[in-house]
Every structure is written in structure tokens, then in C-alpha cells.
């Protein structure tokens, strides 16, 4: 007779959640970390109808979110509610019970990469989902489809009714948005559940700009934090002035997302901006949520680590105080300041944290040395050369100022404008009074340039205010940076512009100086007096050394900022070893200069004097200064 085939019913979503959480617990955490996580959860959990969970107030209290950053706790709790339902968005927002909170910590700290095969873009997509609000797609007949529209972005009986800022049309982006969810479901052999309605579409979603602004302020505040540091340490003395400065920097970062032209940030814009101009924006979420795994009051001498599963109830323990409030441990030795004490006019702590959104924090925090400041050392190329060119490692140049009027208000302004090309491009900002801040990251030591530029493809050109933007070096053209002293032209500092080749038979200095500067398509030039600067951006260049902007409001725009330099700073990236090497080079130069001064020539015999200098090693065999040796 015929045979009947029976198949087991598919597992429930609750069962799949438990299975994924168990995999996370086994592969992403040590038994000690799980034990501490359980203690943290139990000590602060509230209970209702037999369910233990964390409320928004509990989460904010444990993470020590400062009251001065109003509303950021609500944003962070929304993110946790979404990630607690991972990978089933239909279950969001999730109650933050034990397993849900562990899934939150796993995704926020990126430990999920130990289980799920995914790329950084997929993780960013999940962060986007946790921040977004979703629009319901409404059928023509008036019924709500709840977003079940077959994934094509249209209502069942009519046209598109989602947000105008996020109309459908980029299938590749949507597929990439689902990669992390697919990886989680495939790891549990549950891809069918994804096909049955768990697919999350980002086409009908947007991040409210005010919510992202609140989160950016928090990310700026905690950017230097590591897992065993308390957030309260960085929130000390959050005065109105400091909050205003933090908010001003956050607004410059937020402007990258084009919020001036749309009610919120859609998925495509979010992914493009984060991936190109701030790839480390969310890195500080990792140490913030690793606080769940480090309890400072935990003493290994009192109890061995438990291998209790995260899903089981650990033994009853006394209330656990948040990591920062424990007094059982001796105070840690003082650390170096995040930013060395100096008379810096541009680089504030919020600006330093903004730099860490695209330059690794390990290069910046407690690693910067002040090399040059125009306000302290004088605005001259000679002073700049003495202070900067002996630094043996990478450095960061920052320049700030105010926009010039179209025709110049003084003789010096008009003289500078006369050196620029006649074609005038619009400013990057509509605010004539805005403070302009540009900069460059130079990964190699500075050196004088005469015929070719220096630096390599790791060089970055960037703007910090009034809009955050980053221009990466192009591998095809290598006019990355120059330092030119007169009579070499163009004299000054620059990035992205070629140096004209000059021979001794070239036309006179005056004739050459009459020619307009040969500015690169994406370039920054500061004149020889360090008095004026010009930043140029052409959206479609053919020979640029730096890639044009990819920001939504700029990718098709040509602009040029001509501004008066008010502050100019250079910071060396390095520690005590680099500073000591620079001091040795300065000392060697002083000894050489003193040796030159003490040589008593005065014989009247030019050839004898030259031979004496040659024997002393101060000039080469052809009578030119050899520069000596540091031997």
C-alpha cells in the first residue's frame, strides 16, 4: 500500500530564539563572562507576571547615561528593543528579558561575527534598522497591509505610499540589508521562516534626524572609552558650555546625512555616508555594552566561575552595583589625558572624538603631541618647518577661518584672490559667517618638496565644520601633499594640487607668480604667509588626487571655499618615543648650527675656507651644504 510521509512542524520563533541565543552564549562568551552577565541581569531586573526584564530606566541607570543628554536613553532603549528581537523583526520591540538582552549585547559588541558570516555593511544595516521608524503601507481600499507588500515597495492595489525620502528602486541595497538576518536564520536551518514573513524591508523606513543627533552626541562623549572605564568619568562637569560645544560638533556630523533636504535619513543615504566618511562612528557601542561583562565588584577569590547557561537561572546573589560605583577595588593609576594640555585653538575634545569617526582612536586618544600652532609659534613657513618637519611619524593638520567676501575687503585679500583662477565657484555653505574647518591626515613624515609631492595613498583630506566630510586619496594620481618655500612656486602648504616643474632657465619669479594657482580638482592650498587658504571641490574630475565627496547633498556639487586663516595647528600622532626622536633631531640641528657659528674663517683664501668646511663635514665636495649626518 502507499506510504505516508510526515514531517515535523517547523520550530516556533521562541524555539529559534532560544537556539540562536544558546549558540551566541557558547561561541561568543567565556563561562566567566556569562556568569557576570547573569549576575548583572538578576541584580537589576524587575519582575512582572513571573517574567524578569529590564526597563528603560534600569538600562539608563546601569550604563550611566547622563541626564544632560536628554532623550538619548529613549533612543538607546529603542535600539535594544529592536535588537532583542533579532533576527525576527516582527517581534520587535522585544521585552528585555535575559535572552533578549544577551542578543542585544552580542550584536552591539559585534561578537555575533563569531557565529554569523557577515560583513561590516550588514552590521551597519542592522544598526540602521534599530534606529529607524517604519511606515505602514496602505492599500487603496483603505486596509493596512502592515508592510506585507511582497517586498516591491508598493501597496497591493496601488502605488507607493511609503516615505518620499525612501522610494524603492535599489534592490541590491535591500538585499544587502537582509544579509545579517539571513545569516542568523541559515545558522539555525530556519531560512523558511524568513520567507514566511520575517523579511524586513528598509524601503519604508527612516531614522528621525533628531534621534540620530542625540545618539551622535553620546557617541562623541564615549568615543575614547574602553570596556573597563565608566561613562560617568567622561560625563563629569557637563556644563551648558560643554553641552553646547558637543551639540555643535554633533550637528556638523549630522549634516553629512543631508538632513537639511529631507525629514529623515533613509537606508541608502545612511549606508553611503557611514561607509565613506565615518566608518568608526558606532565603534564606541562595543565598550559601552561590554560593561555587562565586567563587574568591578566581582572577586574570583570568593567564587569560581560558573558555566551556567544564559537561559538558566543562576544562584541568588546580592544586588550588584554598577561597575563605576564599586569601591572594593583600589583606584587605578592616573592615565595620560585624552588631549595634551596646550593652547590649542582648533582641536577641542569633541573635535578629537569627531576625528575618531574616520581615524582609528588608537592613533588619536592619548597619542597626540602638539607640534605647531600659528597663534603660539607664529604664522610663518620657517616656524612651521622647524616645528613640523622633524616629526618622525604621522601628523594631522587643522586649519580654521572665515569666508572671504567675493572681491576682498583689504589689499592682502584682493592680492590673494588675484592668484586664484578667474572662474568663481559657490561656497560650500550658505552661511557667510560660518566657521570653516578643514584638515589633512598625513601618514608619513613631512619633507620639503621641490619637484614632486610627498605622502602616500593613506592620506586623507577632510572637513570638520560646518559639515563633516572626508576625501580619500586616489590611487591613480599622487599629488597628495607639498611643502614649498619661496622661491619655489606655488609657495605654501597644499594637498591635491600638482607642483609645476621649474628649471633654472624658467621665466622670472614675477612672471611665474602672475599665473593663477594650478589648483587640483579636490584640493586644499594655504598661501606662503599662512594667511589665506582655498579648498576646491569638483564633483566630476578626471585627474584628482583625492576622491570627490560621496555625501548626498554634495556628490554632484562643485564648490570652493576661499577663507582667511584664523588658526593653524599640526598635531603629531605618536607617543613618547616619537617625541624623544624629535627632540634628538632638534638638539642635533642646534649643535650643527653652533658648530657653523664657531668656525673662524677670515683667511681671505676662499678655496682654503671651502676646504676647511669640507673637512668638517659641513659642505659637500662641490661646495654645497651637505646637511651633515646624524651618525
Amino acid at each position: 500500500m502507499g506510504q505516508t510521509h510526515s514531517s515535523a512542524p517547523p520550530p516556533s520563533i521562541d524555539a529559534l530564539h532560544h537556539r540562536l541565543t544558546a549558540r551566541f552564549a557558547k561561541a561568543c562568551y567565556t563561562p566567566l563572562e556569562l556568569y557576570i552577565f547573569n549576575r548583572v541581569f538578576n541584580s537589576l531586573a524587575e519582575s512582572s507576571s513571573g517574567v524578569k526584564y529590564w526597563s528603560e530606566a534600569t538600562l539608563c541607570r546601569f550604563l550611566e547615561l547622563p541626564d544632560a543628554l536628554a532623550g538619548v536613553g529613549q533612543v538607546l532603549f529603542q535600539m535594544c528593543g529592536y535588537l532583542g528581537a533579532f533576527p525576527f523583526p516582527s517581534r520587535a520591540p522585544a521585552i528585555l528579558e535575559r535572552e533578549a538582552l544577551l542578543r542585544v549585547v552580542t550584536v552591539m559588541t559585534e561578537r555575533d561575527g563569531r557565529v554569523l558570516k557577515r560583513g561590516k555593511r550588514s552590521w551597519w544595516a542592522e544598526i540602521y534598522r534599530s534606529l529607524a521608524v517604519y511606515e505602514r503601507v496602505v492599500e487603496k481600499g483603505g486596509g493596512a497591509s502592515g508592510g506585507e507588500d511582497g517586498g516591491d515597495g508598493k501597496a497591493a492595489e496601488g502605488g507607493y505610499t511609503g516615505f518620499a525620502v525612501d522610494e524603492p528602486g535599489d534592490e541590491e541595497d535591500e538585499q544587502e540589508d537582509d544579509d545579517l538576518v539571513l545569516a542568523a536564520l541559515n545558522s539555525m536551518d530556519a531560512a523558511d521562516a524568513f520567507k514566511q514573513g520575517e523579511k524586513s524591508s528598509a524601503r519604508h523606513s527612516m531614522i528621525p534626524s533628531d534621534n540620530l543627533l542625540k545618539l551622535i552626541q553620546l557617541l562623541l562623549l564615549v568615543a575614547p572609552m574602553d570596556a573597563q572605564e565608566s561613562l560617568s568619568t567622561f560625563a563629569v562637569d557637563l556644563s551648558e558650555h560643554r553641552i553646547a560645544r558637543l551639540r555643535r560638533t554633533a550637528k556638523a556630523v549630522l549634516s553629512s546625512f543631508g538632513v537639511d533636504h529631507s525629514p529623515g535619513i533613509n537606508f541608502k543615504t545612511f549606508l553611503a555616508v557611514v561607509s565613506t566618511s565615518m566608518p568608526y562612528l558606532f565603534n564606541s557601542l562595543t565598550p559601552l555594552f561590554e560593561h555587562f561583562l565586567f563587574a568591578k565588584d566581582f572577586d574570583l577569590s570568593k567564587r569560581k566561575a560558573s558555566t551556567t547557561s544564559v537561559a538558566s537561572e543562576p544562584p541568588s546573589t546580592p544586588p550588584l552595583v554598577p561597575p563605576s560605583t564599586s569601591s572594593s577595588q583600589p583606584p587605578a593609576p592616573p592615565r595620560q589625558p585624552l588631549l595634551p594640555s596646550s593652547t590649542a585653538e582648533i582641536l577641542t575634545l569633541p573635535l578629537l572624538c569627531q576625528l575618531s569617526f574616520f581615524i582609528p582612536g588608537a592613533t588619536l586618544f592619548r597619542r597626540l603631541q602638539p607640534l605647531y600652532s600659528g597663534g603660539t609659534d607664529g604664522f610663518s613657513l620657517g616656524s612651521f618647518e622647524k616645528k613640523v618637519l622633524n616629526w618622525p611619524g604621522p601628523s594631522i593638520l587643522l586649519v580654521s577661518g572665515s569666508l572671504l567676501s567675493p572681491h576682498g575687503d583689504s589689499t592682502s585679500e584682493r592680492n590673494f584672490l588675484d592668484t586664484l583662477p578667474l572662474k568663481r565657484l559657490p561656497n560650500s555653505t550658505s552661511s557667510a559667517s560660518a566657521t570653516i574647518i578643514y584638515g589633512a591626515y598625513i601618514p608619513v613624515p613631512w619633507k620639503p618638496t621641490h619637484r614632486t609631492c610627498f605622502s602616500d595613498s593613506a592620506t586623507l583630506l577632510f572637513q570638520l565644520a560646518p559639515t563633516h566630510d572626508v576625501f580619500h586619496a586616489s590611487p591613480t594620481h599622487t599629488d597628495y601633499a607639498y611643502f614649498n618655500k619661496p622661491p619655489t612656486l606655488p609657495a605654501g602648504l597644499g594637498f591635491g594640487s600638482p607642483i609645476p616643474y621649474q628649471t633654472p632657465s624658467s621665466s622670472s619669479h614675477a612672471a611665474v607668480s602672475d599665473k593663477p594657482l594650478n589648483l587640483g580638482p579636490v584640493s586644499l592650498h594655504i598661501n606662503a604667509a599662512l594667511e589665506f587658504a582655498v579648498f576646491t571641490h569638483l564633483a566630476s574630475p578626471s585627474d584628482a588626487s583625492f576622491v570627490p565627496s560621496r555625501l548626498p547633498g554634495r556628490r554632484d556639487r562643485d564648490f570652493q571655499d576661499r577663507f582667511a586663516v584664523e588658526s593653524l595647528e599640526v598635531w603629531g600622532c605618536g607617543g613618547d618615543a616619537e617625541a624623544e626622536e624629535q627632540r634628538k633631531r632638534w638638539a642635533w640641528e642646534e649643535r650643527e648650527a653652533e658648530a657653523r657659528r664657531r668656525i673662524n674663517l677670515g683667511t681671505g683664501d676662499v678655496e682654503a675656507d671651502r676646504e676647511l668646511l669640507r673637512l668638517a663635514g659641513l659642505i659637500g665636495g662641490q661646495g654645497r651644504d651637505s646637511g651633515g649626518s646624524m651618525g
Side-chain angles (χ1 to χ4, degrees):
M1 302 294 292
Q3 295 180 343
T4 59
H5 298 275
S6 62
S7 59
S12 66
I13 289 181
D14 289 339
L16 292 174
H17 259 157
H18 182 79
R19 188 186 303 176
L20 179 63
T21 308
R23 291 201 62 187
F24 282 160
K26 182 177 180 180
C28 304
Y29 301 94
T30 65
L32 177 60
E33 288 173 333
L34 286 179
Y35 175 76
I36 294 176
F37 172 83
N38 284 332
R39 286 193 67 197
V40 169
F41 177 85
N42 269 348
S43 63
L44 300 176
E46 302 174 29
S47 181
S48 176
S49 301
V51 176
K52 286 188 173 183
Y53 66 95
W54 274 32
S55 65
E56 178 182 332
T58 302
L59 181 72
C60 295
R61 186 170 71 253
F62 175 75
L63 295 179
E64 301 176 295
L65 302 182
D67 294 336
L69 298 183
V72 72
Q74 183 179 0
V75 175
L76 211 58
F77 190 71
Q78 174 192 321
M79 296 178 69
C80 292
Y82 186 93
L83 296 177
F86 179 79
F88 300 104
S90 65
R91 291 296 185 94
I95 298 173
L96 293 186
E97 41 79 32
R98 185 191 313 279
E99 292 196 6
L101 191 57
L102 188 73
R103 291 192 292 271
V104 170
V105 174
T106 306
V107 176
M108 285 289 201
T109 60
E110 298 190 71
R111 293 187 178 216
D112 60 288
R114 303 177 189 179
V115 172
L116 311 178
K117 295 181 180 180
R118 50 87 174 165
K120 188 73 174 182
R121 291 167 70 93
S122 298
W123 184 78
W124 286 330
E126 201 63 19
I127 295 297
Y128 170 86
R129 290 177 177 179
S130 70
L131 285 165
V133 295
Y134 295 84
E135 175 79 349
R136 301 176 72 88
V137 178
V138 181
E139 298 178 2
K140 251 187 175 180
S145 67
E148 297 177 1
D149 56 340
D152 62 359
K154 296 184 179 181
E157 298 293 337
Y160 175 82
T161 59
F163 288 113
V165 295
D166 208 357
E167 294 185 4
D170 292 299
E171 295 297 333
E172 292 183 4
D173 286 344
E174 295 308 317
Q175 181 59 47
E176 193 164 29
D177 178 45
D178 293 323
D179 284 350
L180 189 57
V181 174
L182 275 173
L185 293 165
N186 284 331
S187 72
M188 300 180 291
D189 297 322
D192 286 343
F194 183 81
K195 297 175 183 177
Q196 295 170 3
E198 287 303 330
K199 182 173 182 178
S200 175
S201 173
R203 296 177 195 157
H204 308 303
S205 63
M206 60 183 284
I207 301 175
S209 56
D210 191 52
N211 284 4
L212 187 56
L213 177 65
K214 294 172 183 175
L215 181 62
I216 290 172
Q217 289 181 85
L218 176 66
L219 296 176
L220 285 169
L221 183 67
V222 303
M225 187 174 66
D226 63 40
Q228 300 208 36
E229 286 183 307
S230 167
L231 193 155
S232 61
T233 303
F234 300 91
V236 173
D237 189 28
L238 273 180
S239 61
E240 291 184 7
H241 173 71
R242 189 178 172 195
I243 288 292
R245 195 166 56 180
L246 195 68
R247 188 175 182 85
R248 184 166 59 248
T249 304
K251 284 184 175 180
V253 176
L254 181 67
S255 67
S256 300
F257 295 90
V259 294
D260 294 337
H261 308 95
S262 64
I265 300 99
N266 61 30
F267 172 70
K268 183 178 179 181
T269 297
F270 175 87
L271 196 59
V273 173
V274 171
S275 62
T276 58
S277 66
M278 49 188 85
Y280 311 128
L281 174 63
F282 299 106
N283 278 23
S284 54
L285 290 177
T286 294
L288 182 63
F289 278 83
E290 281 190 345
H291 281 91
F292 285 93
L293 311 175
F294 296 94
K296 290 187 177 181
D297 72 335
F298 180 68
D299 189 350
L300 278 175
S301 65
K302 296 179 181 178
R303 186 182 192 124
K304 293 183 179 179
S306 169
T307 58
T308 305
S309 167
V310 69
S312 62
E313 191 74 18
S316 177
T317 56
L320 179 73
V321 294
S324 66
T325 60
S326 171
S327 58
S328 62
Q329 296 292 331
R335 302 181 65 182
Q336 291 183 346
L338 295 169
L339 191 62
S341 58
S342 69
T343 56
E345 298 177 0
I346 304 177
L347 189 60
T348 61
L349 185 55
L351 216 63
L352 176 64
C353 296
Q354 182 182 355
L355 287 172
S356 74
F357 290 169
F358 59 93
I359 300 174
T363 305
L364 302 174
F365 299 122
R366 302 184 174 90
R367 293 283 295 171
L368 293 185
Q369 302 285 342
L371 301 182
Y372 168 83
S373 171
T376 302
D377 302 313
F379 288 90
S380 73
L381 284 180
S383 179
F384 186 97
E385 180 180 27
K386 179 181 179 181
K387 294 288 186 178
V388 175
L389 268 65
N390 281 323
W391 181 254
S395 59
I396 296 172
L397 177 143
L398 299 173
V399 58
S400 69
S402 54
L403 292 170
L404 298 174
S405 63
H407 305 291
D409 295 331
S410 66
T411 301
S412 58
E413 289 182 11
R414 289 190 289 271
N415 290 339
F416 172 70
L417 295 177
D418 288 342
T419 66
L420 303 181
L422 294 177
K423 183 180 179 181
R424 181 64 192 265
L425 300 175
N427 296 330
S428 67
T429 175
S430 58
S431 174
S433 60
T435 297
I436 305 294
I437 302 179
Y438 283 101
Y441 170 74
I442 305 96
V444 300
W446 283 73
K447 65 179 181 179
T449 52
H450 303 293
R451 296 185 178 181
T452 59
C453 293
F454 71 97
S455 203
D456 58 33
S457 58
T459 310
L460 294 174
L461 195 57
F462 52 84
Q463 183 180 9
L464 299 181
T467 296
H468 176 103
D469 205 349
V470 178
F471 311 90
H472 296 267
S474 167
T476 56
H477 295 84
T478 59
D479 295 325
Y480 298 131
Y482 59 75
F483 172 84
N484 286 344
K485 293 175 64 177
T488 305
L489 297 178
L493 313 175
F495 306 88
S497 297
I499 299 177
Y501 178 74
Q502 299 181 49
T503 66
S505 60
S506 295
S507 57
S508 69
H509 181 277
V512 174
S513 63
D514 287 341
K515 297 180 180 180
L517 290 172
N518 184 16
L519 300 175
V522 180
S523 62
L524 172 67
H525 173 76
I526 306 172
N527 74 342
L530 307 184
E531 186 179 9
F532 301 105
V534 54
F535 180 86
T536 303
H537 177 270
L538 300 181
S540 302
S542 58
D543 57 350
S545 296
F546 290 93
V547 179
S549 174
R550 301 308 303 156
L551 300 187
R554 286 184 160 193
R555 62 168 59 100
D556 300 321
R557 281 187 59 206
D558 295 344
F559 61 84
Q560 187 177 75
D561 286 336
R562 306 173 177 193
F563 58 99
V565 174
E566 296 172 352
S567 300
L568 178 64
E569 298 174 357
V570 181
W571 296 80
C573 302
D576 294 338
E578 288 83 356
E580 179 62 26
E581 184 174 347
Q582 186 192 47
R583 285 192 290 271
K584 289 181 179 179
R585 292 188 181 187
W586 280 343
W588 177 82
E589 288 183 352
E590 289 295 330
R591 290 195 301 270
E592 291 294 301
E594 183 64 21
R596 292 172 191 269
R597 288 192 295 268
R598 290 183 177 182
I599 292 178
N600 183 16
L601 300 178
T603 64
D605 188 337
V606 175
E607 292 300 324
D609 292 344
R610 180 177 291 117
E611 180 65 15
L612 180 61
L613 292 173
R614 187 186 65 79
L615 291 175
L618 299 179
I619 65 172
Q622 301 302 317
R624 295 182 179 180
D625 190 346
S626 66
S629 170
M630 288 183 64

